[in-house]
Amino acid sequence: MALDIEVPEPPDLSNRGMPREFEWQEETLGSEDFYREDIEDLLQEGAWKEGFNEWTEYTNLDEEHVRIISDLGLFRAFDFYWDPTEDRLRFDAPTISDDWRERNATESLDSSTVSLIDGELDDLGRAVQEELEDYLERNDEASDYGWGEETYGKREE
């Protein structure tokens, strides 16, 4: 059953450090631009809303779970970036921290619910990533976002 909830604000990608699961490789040293500002523009233009709405169609979460995610600031904690080592768009989905129970004693989530939420957040990241990729394909002029084939190459299927 699809959730009937308001779409939260897209994540703010400014002032982010190095992505969580990223390691520089010798051939990409010096390519320090993750193009987060450009990606944030695409999120603001509608990629976040479209991906979020698609996700609400098939998520296994209920409205209470979504409220918890929102209260914990997890929607805003998503990170989307261009990975220069793999030459592709990637995301880091947030997870519920291990100390969540201590910080939120009034809420009770068992470990299976935490795992469910973490998995669904990953699914949301994939849905938004797909929308971002669609936006990139539609905006193929390098002048729009500084993104172009000479910068990113063709995405291989």
Side-chain angles (χ1 to χ4, degrees):
M1 185 173 128
L3 291 175
D4 184 23
I5 56 173
E6 187 175 325
V7 177
E9 288 295 313
D12 177 0
L13 302 181
S14 60
N15 299 318
R16 300 278 179 123
M18 189 175 310
R20 188 172 54 219
E21 296 182 24
F22 179 80
E23 291 184 30
W24 288 113
Q25 296 182 8
E26 193 172 309
E27 64 271 10
T28 58
L29 287 177
S31 302
E32 286 126 9
D33 195 347
F34 295 109
Y35 293 92
R36 286 183 171 124
E37 288 179 19
D38 297 322
I39 294 169
E40 186 173 358
D41 288 344
L42 296 175
L43 291 171
Q44 293 286 341
E45 281 188 19
W48 174 259
K49 182 178 181 178
E50 291 173 32
F52 190 87
N53 285 335
E54 178 185 326
W55 174 75
T56 61
E57 293 294 320
Y58 64 80
T59 185
N60 292 318
L61 299 181
D62 61 27
E63 291 174 12
E64 179 65 17
H65 294 135
V66 174
R67 183 192 61 77
I68 292 169
I69 292 168
S70 183
D71 289 351
L72 291 172
L74 298 179
F75 291 127
R76 304 281 295 160
F78 270 94
D79 188 11
F80 295 91
Y81 60 95
W82 188 265
D83 183 339
T85 62
E86 295 186 16
D87 202 32
R88 69 180 183 102
L89 186 66
R90 293 187 58 184
F91 71 93
D92 286 338
T95 58
I96 295 180
S97 65
D98 292 336
D99 67 344
W100 185 83
R101 288 177 199 249
E102 292 84 41
R103 294 184 301 144
N104 297 286
T106 60
E107 302 282 349
S108 63
L109 290 179
D110 58 31
S111 60
S112 65
T113 303
V114 169
S115 293
L116 172 67
I117 290 173
D118 287 347
E120 292 293 328
L121 287 172
D122 195 61
D123 287 348
L124 172 58
R126 288 185 210 295
V128 173
Q129 179 183 17
E130 288 174 8
E131 288 299 327
L132 284 167
E133 289 170 347
D134 287 347
Y135 272 62
L136 288 173
E137 288 175 12
R138 282 184 260 164
N139 294 304
D140 57 2
E141 291 182 26
S143 61
D144 285 347
Y145 299 103
W147 299 51
E149 196 172 312
E150 63 279 352
T151 304
Y152 296 107
K154 286 275 189 197
R155 197 180 80 162
E156 296 186 23
E157 299 296 323

